[in-house]
Amino acid sequence: MSNTALIKEFEAIVGADNVMTSETDRHTYSYDAAVLDSVMPALVVRPTNSEQLGKAVKLCNDNGLPLTVRGAGTNLSGGTIPHPGGVVVLTNGLNRILELNEEDMYAVVEPGVVTAQFAAEAAKRGLFYPPDPGSQTVSTIGGNVAENAGGLRGLKYGVTKDYVMGVDFWDVNGELIHSGSRTVKCVTGYNLAGLMVASEGTLGVFDKIILKLIPPVKAAKSMMAIFPSMKAASETVAAIIANKIVPATLELMDNFTIRTVENFRKAGLPTEAAALLLIEVDGHPAQVEEDAIKVEDICKQNKASEVKVANDAAERDAVWQARRDALPALAKLKPTCVLEDATVPRSKIPAMIEALEEVSKKYNLTIGTFGHAGDGNLHPTILTDKRDKKEWERVEEAVDMIFERALALGGTLSGEHGIGLAKSKFMINETSAGTLAYARRMKSVLDPKGILNPGKIIG
Amino acid sequence: MADINKLAQMLKELDDQLVNCMRCGMCQAVCPLFARTGKESDVTRGKLALLDGLASEMLKDPEGVNEKLNRCLLCGTCQANCPSGVKVMDIFLKARAIMTGYFGLSPVKKAIFRGMLANPKLFNKLLDFGSKFQGLFTKKVDDMLGSSCARFQAPVIGDRHFKALAGKPLHKTLPELNSSAGKSGIKVAFFVGCVVDKIFPNVGEATLDVLKHHGVGVFMPANQACCGIPAISSGDTKTFDNLVDQNLALFEKGEFDYLITSCASCTSTIKELWPHMYQGDSAKRMKLRELADKTMDISQFLVDVLGVKAGEPGGESVTYHDPCHLKNSLGITSQPRTLIKASSGYDLKEMAEAGTCCGCGGSFNIAHYELSKQIGERKAGNIVDSGAHIVATSCPACMLQITDMLSQKKAGVKVKHVIELYAEGLR
């Protein structure tokens, strides 16, 4: 940034140590976890309290500087890639748990609190925060709310939005906006907290988030069911739900992923199996026993060749280790790993799996598929090398086709990764020209200079 | 100094490895430095992005990249936990060598590495001399830990509480040894390592006592050279190759079944870096590969080869700190614990975060003492919270750092090498 006076102003707000201007520092905030080109910001600032954050936002707006808020930068849709010449506002200096209320079961946190650390802190107080995105050991609550992050427990416990009771945020004028409350019920005014969830930093800058907590689970039982076809496995998913059982997790792995994971861990996975379902039921001990037996029966009725029920903690851990290994194992095969999150209604999973096989053949690409079958959220993972230009073109076309098919099946562009830069061009296909115009009108009023994370979601 | 395009060309050699980083950012969860600073340039993903930026000529500031690259403990925790299996240590060491080739080695490092380390006899003499006069400049601060601090303001020492040079280094008490295999029928070569030789000769003596007790023959040639980790960490491949050559020539003269060390850093350097980073001829590289295959940490040797087993627990409580070079580089965590449990009169009590870095990082401690100290203080806190009276580890460099931290804290916890505990029980 050539304007040294402006840098001085930022320094006056957050302190000189918290304003980064060097080429090297700026470069390390030019990307996130999405496979997209990096964009250099002009400046990186790190507020360490609420007041500093509000002033920094106002200063950006006063000077028409594009502003992108960044937590851990684990975003998979480019939502934290800055705008050229813009400012990155880091939230990792805002990482305090302000209140953890055991009596009323809620917490108030700053946006930079790391998800897994927060969940662990809640667990210490005998409470449960269920959302568990794959990046939870580093991702922040602010980012989770901004992207409406999901996770393995989405089927039974819902996703981040189901735990957001309120959000305080700064508007572009530096006014602190309050929304929601510490009460379970609250109908005061517009549901601004709801509006802020999944807004990806385009409507305001989070200052505080009020999160709902629930009592911890008393018992759980895990099992692994082996299937001779993807069709049988995906039909089982539908059958379990149709029998009115909602497992805490219901995960699917295809043969390619099974073989890759087995090659990686040598944990004795059935490499011949066409598909695996990893299932966990939880709740009251008596109910868990009953549900586990029912699920086992349903699996067998739906052609499972074998159902292995974990008898102790070690066996349970082995089941989930296999699932946790899916992405790391796939990621080691090729340099570039495009992890998509096309999502369809549960009943359409067999059709979506077929579509993915078709995409893989048509574009001659290796696709490993695993994911949260229970909530219809699949992770087709394309393995490639982005340096191979010809193959990369095929990857881009394949991604287009995956979204087309997901939408045709009544699905959605993104189950949990967000729209960001990566999928904004597809928005019109899922919504409508009118919807986009409405969203753009709304943003233009709330953010007249267009400084809040420009280019994301609505283009 | 070559031009920046040439530097970019050289860094392009790393492209096939750099591209494996999918920028997921999971290294943020485990990096001890990032845990203190929260800066992306301090975590692996950021450093890899910087090297990539320089290689693709997106960046114009090699000095800046070099500075960030050197802000790393090389603890390898990120590599051990990387979902994509990025070979971070390999990339960083090669990048440091390329950077040092571009910028040249600093005059101070040149004097230390090429003038002193590369000449083991001179190195020994200088430090023997130093050990006699160090009392003039330093004073003792903690008798239990045997730590000292500077008497006067001294730029390198700062406010460190350090272990002084031993009055009699191991090479003075026992310049060399070549004993035949006893009841075990096994003979080992003993690579002593600089820190054991010059600061903790008692660790070396304990190692030799234990080997003798188990009837293991020892080949310990005189004038052993440094393993080379300080030189290669600073990108000085010339000195590294020279040191490896000297050591290879010495150890080639003996016949042995295993090469053992009681220093985690030396073990991982000989096992991983000698065959991999040495640039000499291929015949020598083959020999280094054979040597690496024979190399073992002392606890690993005692437990895996000699079959030493855990005994009855009881006695003074000991907590164990995993050195990065054992845990992350070689995956050795159970054998040192078994050895503590096999030591009579001791009881193992785990601390929180036993496997996180103590913050020493070799020369990182010298260049970035404040950060090193902040990381070390967390370690010291975990040690104290464990309630143990002794902290044992398998790396003399960790012992130095932990001694400094515990001494400054006046924690009243002793610092020992696991082999010392085991040797005591045999005496």
Side-chain angles (χ1 to χ4, degrees):
Chain A
M1 185 177 294
S2 55
N3 193 335
T4 47
L6 204 49
I7 291 171
K8 286 265 176 307
E9 282 189 64
F10 277 108
E11 286 180 348
I13 297 170
V14 297
D17 283 350
N18 289 317
V19 178
M20 296 175 228
T21 55
S22 73
E23 184 191 46
T24 46
D25 274 325
R26 288 183 292 120
H27 183 72
T28 57
Y29 296 102
S30 66
Y31 53 80
D32 58 21
V35 190
L36 294 168
D37 292 338
S38 57
V39 176
M40 273 288 240
L43 194 68
V44 181
V45 297
R46 176 164 57 180
T48 52
N49 64 42
S50 165
E51 193 194 350
Q52 291 179 3
L53 179 64
K55 285 183 176 168
V57 174
K58 187 175 188 309
L59 188 56
C60 286
N61 190 53
D62 289 348
N63 291 280
L65 290 170
L67 179 167
T68 298
V69 182
R70 179 187 176 101
T74 52
N75 202 287
L76 282 159
S77 54
T80 39
I81 294 180
H83 200 67
V87 175
V88 169
V89 175
L90 289 181
T91 59
N92 68 1
L94 300 157
N95 55 3
R96 285 161 288 250
I97 297 172
L98 302 169
E99 190 185 350
L100 218 161
N101 193 309
E102 292 158 60
E103 241 178 344
D104 293 322
M105 299 207 287
Y106 70 84
V108 183
V109 303
E110 290 185 329
V113 169
V114 172
T115 315
Q117 287 173 13
F118 169 65
E121 208 50 52
K124 270 190 210 163
R125 312 279 191 91
L127 291 164
F128 182 28
Y129 179 69
D132 58 344
S135 55
Q136 60 176 329
T137 56
V138 293
S139 70
T140 61
I141 293 288
N144 288 176
V145 176
E147 299 293 329
N148 191 13
L152 267 68
R153 289 193 274 254
L155 170 61
K156 178 170 178 179
Y157 293 100
V159 295
T160 305
K161 73 172 175 196
D162 300 304
Y163 296 85
V164 178
M165 295 166 76
V167 178
D168 284 3
F169 60 94
W170 295 99
D171 77 357
V172 291
N173 303 312
E175 298 276 356
L176 189 59
I177 313 300
H178 300 280
S179 77
S181 82
R182 287 164 168 76
T183 56
V184 174
K185 295 177 174 174
C186 167
V187 285
T188 310
Y190 290 135
N191 180 7
L192 297 180
L195 180 66
M196 295 312 286
V197 176
S199 65
E200 302 187 16
T202 60
L203 298 175
V205 177
F206 298 170
D207 184 64
K208 277 187 224 38
I209 296 155
I210 309 172
L211 293 169
K212 180 170 83 177
L213 298 167
I214 63 173
V217 177
K218 288 205 176 79
K221 198 147 212 174
S222 303
M223 62 194 92
M224 179 192 286
I226 301 165
F227 289 90
S229 68
M230 279 293 264
K231 191 164 178 281
S234 41
E235 282 167 1
T236 307
V237 173
I240 292 171
I241 311 288
N243 275 278
K244 311 286 182 291
I245 299 171
V246 183
T249 24
L250 215 179
E251 298 284 305
L252 176 79
M253 278 163 85
D254 71 355
N255 175 264
F256 183 77
T257 310
I258 298 166
R259 280 186 288 125
T260 310
V261 168
E262 180 54 22
N263 207 18
F264 173 67
R265 180 79 58 177
K266 307 265 184 284
L269 292 185
T271 50
E272 296 308 307
L276 282 184
L277 284 182
L278 308 173
I279 310 163
E280 182 162 297
V281 289
D282 71 0
H284 186 277
Q287 190 205 340
V288 168
E289 284 303 317
E290 202 182 305
D291 283 355
I293 291 167
K294 273 194 204 160
V295 168
E296 199 178 337
D297 287 347
I298 297 166
C299 288
K300 285 181 176 158
Q301 284 157 19
N302 283 277
K303 301 185 191 127
S305 58
E306 200 186 342
V307 183
K308 294 179 182 173
V309 181
N311 289 312
D312 53 34
E315 286 180 19
R316 178 175 179 242
D317 194 52
V319 169
W320 295 111
Q321 188 59 48
R323 171 60 182 83
R324 282 195 292 272
D325 283 341
L327 181 59
L330 289 170
K332 285 189 175 84
L333 292 183
K334 284 281 192 81
T336 313
C337 178
V338 180
L339 178 70
E340 280 308 342
D341 74 328
T343 301
V344 293
R346 276 188 288 259
S347 60
K348 296 294 190 308
I349 284 185
M352 191 63 208
I353 297 283
E354 256 175 57
L356 290 171
E357 279 164 10
E358 198 188 323
V359 173
S360 160
K361 280 201 191 98
K362 182 172 179 189
Y363 294 102
N364 186 25
L365 291 167
T366 309
I367 305 181
T369 298
F370 63 96
H372 321 302
D375 50 35
N377 182 197
L378 293 176
H379 290 308
T381 302
I382 308 175
L383 305 175
T384 177
D385 183 341
K386 66 183 169 193
R387 295 172 300 179
D388 181 341
K389 289 219 161 56
K390 283 203 169 142
E391 186 171 277
W392 187 247
E393 278 168 20
R394 297 207 306 279
V395 171
E396 289 184 319
E397 285 174 30
V399 169
D400 289 4
M401 186 169 159
I402 290 172
F403 291 137
E404 264 170 38
R405 290 304 179 89
L407 292 180
L409 291 168
T412 181
L413 291 170
S414 173
E416 58 184 10
H417 292 175
I419 299 299
L421 290 171
K423 300 183 198 171
S424 61
K425 69 171 175 172
F426 302 111
M427 275 291 281
I428 193 152
N429 300 342
E430 182 172 342
T431 62
S432 67
T435 313
L436 277 177
Y438 182 87
R440 285 177 184 143
R441 273 203 308 279
M442 186 173 73
K443 178 160 164 77
S444 71
V445 176
L446 295 174
D447 175 21
K449 293 183 182 174
I451 65 150
L452 293 174
N453 214 7
K456 313 295 155 55
I457 315 179
I458 51 175
Chain B
M1 203 182 282
D3 64 58
I4 184 168
N5 305 84
K6 196 151 181 209
L7 177 65
Q9 282 306 317
M10 292 195 287
L11 286 168
K12 279 211 176 74
E13 284 171 26
L14 302 174
D15 190 47
D16 282 338
Q17 285 176 294
L18 286 172
V19 76
N20 286 324
C21 171
M22 58 176 179
R23 298 195 176 170
C24 66
M26 300 306 276
C27 40
Q28 293 174 47
V30 295
C31 174
L33 182 60
F34 183 80
R36 300 265 57 87
T37 68
K39 283 182 81 173
E40 180 83 10
S41 62
D42 282 336
V43 81
T44 311
R45 174 171 70 165
K47 290 180 165 67
L48 295 175
L50 287 172
L51 290 172
D52 186 49
L54 207 53
S56 59
E57 300 183 54
M58 280 163 73
L59 297 177
K60 304 276 171 272
D61 179 17
E63 282 93 347
V65 175
N66 195 32
E67 189 216 318
K68 307 288 187 199
L69 184 64
N70 286 318
R71 277 168 67 97
C72 171
L73 294 147
L74 298 178
C75 69
T77 318
C78 51
Q79 178 171 316
N81 289 282
C82 176
S84 307
V86 177
K87 298 211 164 28
V88 182
M89 291 303 100
D90 195 39
I91 297 173
F92 283 4
L93 288 175
K94 283 180 179 159
R96 285 186 182 193
I98 293 170
M99 289 291 195
T100 300
Y102 177 74
F103 287 109
L105 197 62
S106 77
V108 175
K109 284 186 176 173
K110 208 177 222 168
I112 295 174
F113 296 157
R114 298 187 181 167
M116 198 164 79
L117 271 194
N119 302 301
K121 283 184 195 167
L122 176 70
F123 185 28
N124 284 348
K125 271 197 188 132
L126 281 171
L127 293 197
D128 291 349
F129 185 76
S131 80
K132 293 199 181 75
F133 293 98
Q134 59 189 347
L136 293 176
F137 310 104
T138 64
K139 59 182 180 198
K140 293 201 168 142
V141 282
D142 189 325
D143 282 341
M144 191 186 84
L145 288 166
S147 54
S148 304
C149 65
R151 259 184 216 281
F152 319 105
Q153 270 209 322
V156 182
I157 299 175
D159 57 0
R160 285 176 175 82
H161 286 196
F162 56 92
K163 285 286 292 184
L165 293 165
K168 238 186 176 184
L170 189 71
H171 70 262
K172 279 266 176 185
T173 336
L174 189 67
E176 58 190 319
L177 182 64
N178 198 354
S179 61
S180 48
K183 62 180 180 197
S184 72
I186 296 171
K187 185 159 177 176
V188 300
F190 180 30
F191 185 89
V192 182
C194 307
V195 186
V196 167
D197 180 53
K198 291 159 181 65
I199 297 175
F200 297 108
N202 43 321
V203 171
E205 281 153 15
T207 308
L208 292 168
D209 288 351
V210 168
L211 293 172
K212 195 172 173 188
H213 170 86
H214 284 283
V216 177
V218 178
F219 170 61
M220 185 180 90
N223 296 315
Q224 296 184 17
C226 162
C227 70
I229 183 99
I232 198 71
S233 303
S234 296
D236 183 2
T237 48
K238 191 179 152 192
T239 305
F240 176 77
D241 285 355
N242 177 340
L243 293 166
V244 174
D245 277 335
Q246 292 191 44
N247 282 316
L248 184 63
L250 286 181
F251 284 94
E252 258 183 336
K253 286 181 195 146
E255 281 196 10
F256 47 85
D257 306 298
Y258 300 96
L259 184 144
I260 62 115
T261 91
S262 34
C263 170
S265 299
C266 297
T267 311
S268 83
T269 305
I270 298 170
K271 255 189 122 54
E272 311 249 280
L273 304 183
W274 280 14
H276 195 65
M277 298 297 291
Y278 178 76
Q279 290 171 354
D281 64 57
S282 60
K284 279 189 187 166
R285 282 213 299 275
M286 292 269 285
K287 282 181 190 156
L288 291 174
R289 172 49 64 198
E290 284 168 25
L291 202 56
D293 289 343
K294 285 185 182 179
T295 303
M296 274 194 183
D297 163 68
I298 182 68
S299 303
Q300 188 193 12
F301 172 72
L302 291 170
V303 173
D304 294 355
V305 178
L306 296 186
V308 170
K309 287 194 171 54
E312 288 296 311
E316 214 173 345
S317 56
V318 181
T319 193
Y320 179 71
H321 159 71
D322 286 289
C324 298
H325 280 138
L326 272 198
K327 180 178 189 277
N328 298 325
S329 307
L330 306 173
I332 293 173
T333 54
S334 70
Q335 296 94 328
R337 288 178 168 83
T338 304
L339 201 64
I340 292 173
K341 290 179 191 161
S343 308
S344 57
Y346 292 107
D347 196 15
L348 181 65
K349 232 177 169 181
E350 290 288 344
M351 67 171 105
E353 301 176 350
T356 60
C357 182
C358 66
C360 179
S363 54
F364 181 86
N365 173 284
I366 295 167
H368 306 284
Y369 184 59
E370 268 316 305
L371 284 168
S372 171
K373 197 170 158 181
Q374 283 173 28
I375 299 166
E377 279 167 355
R378 189 176 173 103
K379 177 59 70 179
N382 283 325
I383 293 169
V384 172
D385 292 347
S386 77
H389 302 130
I390 299 172
V391 54
T393 188
S394 301
C395 180
C398 301
M399 288 168 74
L400 289 176
Q401 167 82 348
I402 293 172
T403 297
D404 182 6
M405 297 303 126
L406 292 174
S407 175
Q408 297 202 30
K409 229 177 148 70
K410 298 188 177 65
V413 179
K414 290 181 206 159
V415 182
K416 298 264 188 181
H417 192 291
V418 288
I419 198 69
E420 291 183 272
L421 303 181
Y422 183 66
E424 274 173 34
L426 302 179
R427 279 171 192 152

